[in-house]
């Protein structure tokens, strides 16, 4: 009887979601799919399922997070038509969807206090007064911050669920064990990303990201997001200040394509500075072509369209043609 009752509940839930999918707005439906892949860290599937005709800021946020996790944000930022800050970080609007998205962004970038704050907001805003997924994130962030009793409380709640019990129990071994957390490749690294123990939340993302560079890792997501935000905002002065400070160190060993394009833009009138500052021959030649077309085709009837078709995926096009 109990088995039949459980099967009936599962079947009812499945039928509900099938019926809901037919009435769901295409963008919302797409975002649910991408969010599922994000929660399972299936980054390739996020990118393969992206449709530029079906999306909003949340969709773009998930795509750029996937690119960052694959170490490709600095290569393909403009391939997905990034134009403004919200393409990378949607605004917080007190909704569950935005809370989940922001919690994922902060967590993967390494801003753990903000990831925890948004996970709690997602839990509070969730339907029926709770969300196992947000509880799991609260477990992770409290383990990282060393708040073991709080983490234990959330673990106990998750152990009462059907689908998260095993994952919650797995985290029990970390409770009150600093050494195990510090030895863990993920939790230990994220614990090291705290600002010398100062858990201060800030809404100024650029201010939050720079201290994370003190705890570098290969393919740093924090560095990619920080430089991409500065590039999108056309703040090349701040970009160059950071580059002068960190480029050539373990924090910033080499430049991505868009970072090279920024160097070219900064030293546009001093091309002898390009190669010593990390610009490749390919990027150099691409800019020479861009500069020639800017001069020779300016009077063309469809000048901007011509430039977009040929250079729309470059920072140089963004700097000149994209209004913010």
């Amino acid at each position: 009887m109990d088995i039949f009752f459980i099967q009936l509940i599962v079947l009812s839930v499945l039928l509900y979601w099938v019926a809901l999918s037919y009435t769901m707005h295409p963008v919302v439906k797409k975002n649910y799919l991408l969010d599922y892949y994000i929660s399972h860290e299936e980054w390739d599937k996020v990118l393969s399922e992206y449709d530029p005709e079906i999306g909003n800021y949340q969709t773009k946020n998930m795509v750029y997070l996937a690119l960052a996790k694959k170490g490709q944000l600095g290569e393909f930022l403009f391939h997905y038509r990034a134009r403004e800050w919200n393409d990378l970080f949607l605004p917080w609007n007190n909704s569950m969807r935005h809370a989940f998205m922001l919690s994922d962004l902060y967590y993967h970038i390494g801003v753990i206090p903000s990831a925890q704050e948004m996970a709690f907001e997602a839990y509070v805003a969730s339907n029926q007064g709770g969300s196992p997924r947000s509880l799991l994130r609260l477990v992770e962030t409290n383990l990282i911050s060393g708040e073991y009793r709080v983490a234990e409380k959330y673990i106990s709640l998750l152990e009462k669920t059907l689908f998260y019990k095993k994952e919650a129990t797995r985290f029990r071994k970390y409770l009150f064990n600093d050494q195990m957390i510090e030895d863990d490749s993920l939790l230990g690294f994220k614990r090291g990303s705290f600002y010398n123990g100062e858990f201060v939340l800030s809404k100024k993302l650029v201010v939050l990201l720079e201290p994370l560079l003190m705890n570098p890792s290969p393919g740093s997501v924090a560095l990619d997001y920080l430089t991409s935000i500065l590039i999108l905002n056309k703040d090349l002065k701040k970009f160059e200040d950071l580059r002068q400070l960190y480029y050539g160190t373990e924090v910033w060993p080499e430049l991505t394509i868009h970072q090279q394009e920024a160097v070219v833009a900064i030293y546009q009138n001093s091309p002898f500075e390009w190669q010593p500052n990390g610009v490749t021959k390919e990027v150099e030649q691409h800019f020479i072509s861009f500069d020639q077309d800017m001069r020779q085709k300016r009077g063309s009837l469809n000048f901007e369209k011509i430039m977009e078709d040929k250079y729309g995926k470059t920072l140089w096009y963004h700097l000149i043609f994209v209004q913010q």
Side-chain angles (χ1 to χ4, degrees):
M1 187 69 168
D2 290 339
I3 295 176
F4 174 77
F5 182 68
I6 292 173
Q7 289 175 334
L8 184 62
I9 292 175
V10 172
L11 180 61
S12 298
V13 171
L14 288 174
L15 289 174
Y16 169 78
W17 280 107
V18 169
L20 185 62
S21 68
Y22 282 102
T23 60
M24 195 179 294
H25 189 283
V27 173
V28 176
K29 186 176 179 179
K30 174 65 71 174
N31 285 348
Y32 270 121
L33 177 63
L34 296 185
D35 182 65
Y36 173 82
Y37 291 139
I38 289 285
S39 68
H40 290 78
E41 299 191 13
E42 297 184 68
W43 310 117
D44 287 323
K45 289 185 178 180
V46 173
L47 298 176
S48 66
E49 288 289 343
Y50 173 66
D51 183 346
E53 302 301 320
I54 304 175
N56 55 13
Y57 284 137
Q58 184 183 356
T59 322
K60 284 281 192 74
N61 279 201
M62 289 189 277
V63 167
Y64 285 122
L65 176 58
L67 283 172
K69 292 296 291 184
K70 287 173 62 65
Q72 297 175 354
L73 183 59
E75 312 291 334
F76 298 107
L77 176 64
F78 296 110
H79 286 61
Y80 294 83
R81 296 187 62 80
R83 292 294 182 261
E84 57 180 310
W85 170 288
N86 288 338
D87 287 332
L88 290 177
F89 259 84
L90 47 70
W92 167 229
N93 67 354
N94 296 308
S95 74
M96 180 186 69
R97 292 175 188 169
H98 282 209
F100 273 129
M101 186 69 253
L102 288 168
S103 182
D104 285 337
L105 283 169
Y106 284 127
Y107 182 77
H108 288 291
I109 291 172
V111 189
I112 303 305
S114 294
Q116 185 177 96
E117 179 189 39
M118 288 294 102
F120 184 78
E121 294 286 355
Y123 179 78
V124 171
S126 297
N127 296 330
Q128 300 177 352
S131 161
R133 179 180 166 189
S134 57
L135 282 178
L136 190 61
R137 178 57 45 78
L138 287 170
V139 169
E140 293 170 321
T141 54
N142 278 286
L143 286 175
I144 291 166
S145 65
E147 296 292 335
Y148 295 121
R149 295 197 182 280
V150 179
E152 187 176 29
K153 178 182 71 174
Y154 293 131
I155 288 172
S156 296
L157 289 172
L158 283 169
E159 286 177 331
K160 298 175 183 178
T161 66
L162 180 61
F163 298 109
Y164 288 82
K165 179 179 180 180
K166 184 177 180 180
E167 185 74 4
T169 301
R170 183 180 72 83
F171 278 117
R172 274 201 174 274
K173 64 184 179 182
Y174 293 101
L175 291 172
F176 309 102
N177 193 329
D178 288 336
Q179 191 61 53
M180 180 172 284
I181 288 178
E182 289 166 10
D183 290 343
D184 186 90
S185 59
L186 177 62
L187 298 180
F189 172 74
K190 291 188 180 298
R191 175 173 283 189
S193 295
F194 276 118
Y195 313 130
N196 298 319
E198 297 178 13
F199 311 123
V200 180
L201 293 173
S202 169
K203 302 304 178 186
K204 296 181 179 179
L205 188 58
V206 171
V207 175
L208 284 173
L209 293 181
E210 188 173 353
L212 295 178
L213 303 185
M214 296 298 96
N215 187 36
S217 69
S220 172
V221 175
L223 176 64
D224 286 346
Y225 264 91
L226 178 54
T227 55
S228 294
I229 287 169
L230 294 175
I231 284 172
L232 271 182
N233 288 347
K234 304 181 182 181
D235 190 352
L236 297 187
K237 181 182 184 307
K238 178 62 176 177
F239 173 90
E240 181 61 5
D241 288 343
L242 285 174
R243 196 190 68 84
Q244 291 284 352
L245 190 60
Y246 295 114
Y247 176 60
T249 71
E250 63 174 334
V251 174
W252 196 344
E254 58 185 9
L255 301 180
T256 66
I257 297 296
H258 296 320
Q259 291 165 0
Q260 291 178 51
E261 292 170 349
V263 171
V264 170
I266 292 166
Y267 294 100
Q268 181 176 349
N269 297 320
S270 305
F272 57 86
E273 295 280 4
W274 296 349
Q275 289 191 35
N277 285 287
V279 178
T280 64
K281 278 285 188 181
E282 290 77 11
V283 172
E284 179 180 337
Q285 290 300 318
H286 200 194
F287 177 76
I288 291 172
S289 175
F290 172 83
D291 188 50
Q292 288 175 346
D293 285 347
M294 282 292 297
R295 299 172 188 274
Q296 296 173 2
K297 299 179 181 179
R298 185 177 295 274
S300 302
L301 182 63
N302 298 318
F303 173 58
E304 184 172 341
K305 182 66 168 59
I306 292 171
M307 297 302 293
E308 181 179 14
D309 289 343
K310 196 170 181 181
Y311 306 103
K313 297 174 182 178
T314 68
L315 169 61
W316 311 314
Y317 177 88
H318 179 77
L319 291 173
I320 295 174
F321 295 101
V322 175
Q323 302 298 317
Q324 294 180 316

